Amino acid sequence: MVQIEPTQRRKVLLIGWDAADWKVIHPLMDAGKMPALQRLVETGVSGNLASLDPPMSPIMWTSIGTGMTADKHGVLGFTQPRADGKGVQPVLASSRKVKALWNILMQCGLTTHVIGWWPSHPAEKLDGVSISNFYHRVHGSVDRPSPMPPGSVHPERLQAILEELRIHPQELTGQHILPFVGLAETIDQTEDNRLATIARITAECSTVQAAATWVMRNEPWDFMAVYFDAIDHYCHGFMKFHPPCREGIPKELYDRYKGVVEGGYRLHDMMLARLLELAGPETTVVLCSDHGFHPDHLRPMKLPNEPAGPAAEHRHYGIVVLNGPGIKEDELVYGASLLDITPTILSLYGLPVGEDMDGKALVGAFSKAQKLAFIPSWEEVAGASGGYTDSELTDPWAEQAAMEQLIELGYIEKPDDDAEKAIASCQRESKYFLARTYIHKSRYDKAVPLLEELFAEQPDQARFGLRLAHAYLQLEKIAESRRITDATLAAWEERTLEQHRKLVEKVRQEKGDDALAPLTLEELRQRHQPTLDLLQGSLLFAEGKDGEAITCLLRAQEADRRLPDLHNQLGRLYLKMQRFQDAEEAWFQALEIDPDSAQAYHGLAQVYLRSGHFREASEAASASLGLLFHNPSAHLHLGEARFRLGDFEGAEQSWLNAVGQAPGMRAVHKRLLTLYQRHLHDPVKALRHRQCLDDRIVAFDEFKKRQGTPPLDATTPVRRTEGSFLRKFDLDASQVVTIVSGLPRSGTSMMMQMLAGGGLSLLTDGGRLADEHNPRGYFELEEVKGLGGTDGGWLEAARGKAVKIIAQLIENLPRSLFYRIIFMERNLEEILQSQARMLGERASMAESLAATYQQQLQRTVSFIEGQANMELLHISHQQTIARPALVAGYLHDFLAVNFDINAAAATVIPELHRVRAGAPDTVSEGEYYVPQR
């Protein structure tokens, strides 16, 4: 076995402050109250650190320590089932399925210490010191404190020493509490026990500090990680009292506790100063938090009534500071994510980053350019890593399933009701967190089965229904989204009315019949339903009901004007409706509410792109990516803006970032192909992207499954390329030729009739008359047959119109025009049967064409998607017949013209679909009725 060794010898100190937020820190630094952190910032690199969803600390600190999301690392919440099936327990580090940073560094010969990381119990057997997150909690009385839990410390030789360093809350004196609560001596603690809470939090973080400083003084080390959870605890308990005084907070309580959060931050600054002193100037320091904590108007007035509801107070951005050898000075880093911490530290040591890691190295913070190294996965590297053996690793969900089977077989006793309920709740929450992880990664296909199961089990839980409806909407499964939305709304109404009825009864029993008047359902909706209205608005727009969608969103706005997501959604809908000024105003409102809204800046970038303001578009897209770097769509739009400004190298970098984050963005590969062919003149790079496009056509279905979008089949009506060249090239729809294409008998005549019904002009000559096979006509043009042999000048007359061209002739289209291509896809067996019927005695000729047709289709689609002047929409023949209104809605969006959806849908007559796979004796398909106009 060959050991991978670091190419750069250094010491690295990783410090975790749970929930630390720049919104609180900057005013304190400006006032000179956090001098240690201020020095670190001014002589290093700092910035926002984008969090993940769900914002649960055990999940996120494991992601920080592994560079991976929860679906990979396996930690899925605060608790897990006990191995004996008798209840639940706090989540254990043995549930982590992958190596953490310290395991990797140990494999590379470095001495590593880990103090208090969450979760880290039982302590791993590192070659340094490992102290678990169970170590610092001391219960019992001060004269008889609870013993340190077994497994809290490794190595065992240090257990007695470290146990002595634990601090009991009752050891703290008034002098320790007064910096937090200046009026502490005036508080009657029999009536108000908040001082005990402050003492407990302070004792626990002081215990972690005592252990960390002892280890730094007495044990050699190359890497050390130490985690403090106290800021999060101070904030959950006392942020409500943080200045300014909020409405509804009693003045007496505000005066008592307004300094607690500030005191917690200042305590951490003092502890940081000591850690930096012990680490020395030769140490590179990385300080980070997993999320922030809203200190202002964005903090919710009421927490969700659900497990882990307090996480609603978390802000999406934490902090990151890097300082020391190898790091720039007094600069900002943009677009950092908590997934980037492990790759960055590996790179600081000159070690390869795992290709299976979801983060990136923050090379922009490095003082010298560095070529990064990569390895497929550190999981494949053998050798002692200090982690758990196979027998020690646990999959609590698999273990629970095994326990349930033994219970069913009668081998063990069923746990009591309370334990069983606890286990069931734990399992539900973990499934829910996993589903949210998939949604955060845009893996909606993986989230849906989990959410369907949860919603079927608890249909009255709106949180399950809302996320399930959203996932279906993202998958363009409109009917399923409507089904779940309606069911969620009905359950919400029933539950809300019942809760209100009980409240009215209770108040009237206590205060009299006139004490509280019951509200109507509509009044309750106005008070409590902005989230449902938000979803309804998106769904109604997808259904083509623009007016109703806007009404829904405006009603949500009236209910809660502070919701930044609401204004972001309004902006997206206005953008789709080409109401650019309204969209801009919506996103400005979102930024007034939350100046750090990456979504709002991204939305403005799209508005400015559509409006031709490319400099502003570039600035807005850059601002969005500075807040949230992992957003391939924002990289796409930044590239668009840079391209239009003539910055081809900048466009190249942006588009490479986009396909680096989302390799399936074929529209970006097309842009890069054009960029390398026409502007950067790099045929080698152009060939790479041509190959990417070709590869994605051949394996399109499997690729789309991996990306969370279903392939085009009997249940999926459309599939389209990304983006639109109308705004890319600043074109009007009247300048573009619309082409209906596909194999003969694939439904092209039906589509031409839909376009005519919707109001689009057709370019036909009526030369081929209707017959028994197409009783409504063929809608063809004789000149089309000469494509490739003539100059194609007749196509100039097709601008703003639709013309039918079979797939085999698409490659002969002149390059001087822009084309929107509607490509009909139909079961190949049905196509051959329909052709056989037309051919009569020559039917056997058609039956031999299947393989050839398939190759031609792949080549044609590959060609189209490699052209910058072509945009492609795939349409399912079967779904056009089954759901014509839905398909017509997609045509409306694709064509970007005044298109009558209802009239287009009315042209489709399902009864005339007569040739179906497996029914060779049926009459040929016929075609479809076009209304007289």
Side-chain angles (χ1 to χ4, degrees), residues 265-343:
Y265 272 92
R266 297 183 69 179
L267 172 62
H268 280 69
D269 191 73
M270 289 184 281
M271 294 191 295
L272 173 64
R274 179 57 174 154
L275 293 175
L276 296 177
E277 179 185 2
L278 292 173
E282 72 278 8
T283 299
T284 301
V285 178
V286 180
L287 170 66
C288 66
S289 66
D290 57 335
H291 57 76
F293 200 103
H294 290 297
D296 49 24
H297 61 288
L298 292 175
R299 191 168 72 257
M301 299 296 291
K302 182 179 179 181
L303 296 180
N305 184 22
E306 61 185 60
E313 295 182 294
H314 295 170
R315 198 165 79 94
H316 186 65
Y317 300 105
I319 71 167
V320 63
V321 185
L322 299 93
N323 188 290
I327 302 299
K328 295 177 180 177
E329 292 190 12
D330 196 20
E331 291 201 17
L332 297 175
V333 63
Y334 295 100
S337 158
L338 55 80
L339 294 166
D340 301 334
I341 299 300
T342 284

Side-chain angles (χ1 to χ4, degrees), residues 689-706:
H689 291 281
R690 164 70 72 183
Q691 291 170 339
C692 286
L693 288 165
D694 291 343
D695 290 344
R696 278 162 176 74
I697 295 302
V698 173
F700 186 83
D701 284 1
E702 184 58 32
F703 172 76
K704 280 297 182 185
K705 288 177 184 175
R706 293 200 305 270

Side-chain angles (χ1 to χ4, degrees), residues 477-495:
K477 294 187 176 182
I478 310 302
E480 288 85 347
S481 184
R482 169 55 65 195
R483 171 178 62 86
I484 297 299
T485 299
D486 290 346
T488 301
L489 180 57
W492 177 87
E493 290 176 348
E494 181 179 353
R495 185 178 68 254

Side-chain angles (χ1 to χ4, degrees), residues 733-884:
S734 64
Q735 299 173 274
V736 179
V737 179
T738 299
I739 292 174
V740 176
S741 190
L743 292 174
R745 311 304 294 169
S746 63
T748 51
S749 297
M750 171 181 65
M751 180 51 59
M752 290 288 282
Q753 291 170 76
M754 287 190 75
L755 296 180
L760 190 67
S761 298
L762 307 184
L763 184 61
T764 69
D765 57 17
R768 189 175 183 186
L769 300 177
D771 57 24
E772 61 177 308
H773 304 295
N774 265 5
R776 302 299 176 186
Y778 285 86
F779 300 91
E780 294 179 353
L781 184 70
E782 185 67 22
E783 285 91 336
V784 169
K785 298 177 183 178
L787 273 176
T790 65
D791 62 5
W794 58 269
L795 273 164
E796 291 290 336
R799 292 175 185 261
K801 300 179 180 179
V803 61
K804 187 167 79 170
I805 301 175
I806 63 170
Q808 290 87 340
L809 295 178
I810 292 294
E811 293 185 44
N812 296 329
L813 288 168
R815 304 294 189 268
S816 57
L817 298 176
F818 291 90
Y819 307 96
R820 284 179 304 208
I821 301 175
I822 301 169
F823 205 88
M824 299 300 298
E825 295 189 4
R826 185 181 182 185
N827 180 284
L828 198 55
E829 183 181 345
E830 288 188 8
I831 290 177
L832 293 174
Q833 289 174 16
S834 185
Q835 291 182 359
R837 181 69 179 176
M838 290 188 69
L839 291 170
E841 295 179 355
R842 295 170 291 157
S844 59
M845 295 172 56
E847 292 175 0
S848 66
L849 293 176
T852 302
Y853 277 164
Q854 192 64 45
Q855 292 174 355
Q856 289 176 344
L857 286 175
Q858 290 179 353
R859 186 176 68 245
T860 300
V861 174
S862 176
F863 170 79
I864 294 170
E865 295 192 343
Q867 307 306 308
N869 64 330
M870 296 183 181
E871 188 176 14
L872 179 62
L873 177 71
H874 298 259
I875 295 285
S876 161
H877 173 272
Q878 181 174 342
Q879 284 297 296
T880 301
I881 293 167
R883 295 191 282 180

Side-chain angles (χ1 to χ4, degrees), residues 84-87 400 403-421 423-424:
D84 60 7
K86 297 288 181 70
Q400 183 59 31
M403 292 296 299
E404 290 170 358
Q405 183 169 342
L406 291 174
I407 292 169
E408 289 293 326
L409 293 171
Y411 287 111
I412 62 176
E413 292 183 353
K414 182 178 180 180
D416 62 46
D417 290 342
D418 288 344
E420 191 173 9
K421 288 178 181 178
I423 292 169

Side-chain angles (χ1 to χ4, degrees), residues 434-474:
L434 180 57
R436 287 175 62 174
T437 298
Y438 285 135
I439 289 174
H440 185 75
K441 298 178 72 172
S442 298
R443 297 300 309 273
Y444 302 104
D445 59 325
K446 287 186 170 291
V448 161
L450 295 169
L451 291 169
E452 278 282 16
E453 184 178 342
L454 292 169
F455 189 62
E457 183 180 346
Q458 291 192 325
D460 61 334
Q461 285 287 320
R463 58 190 177 124
F464 299 154
L466 289 173
R467 292 189 188 272
L468 177 57
H470 169 73
Y472 274 133
L473 194 59
Q474 296 303 309

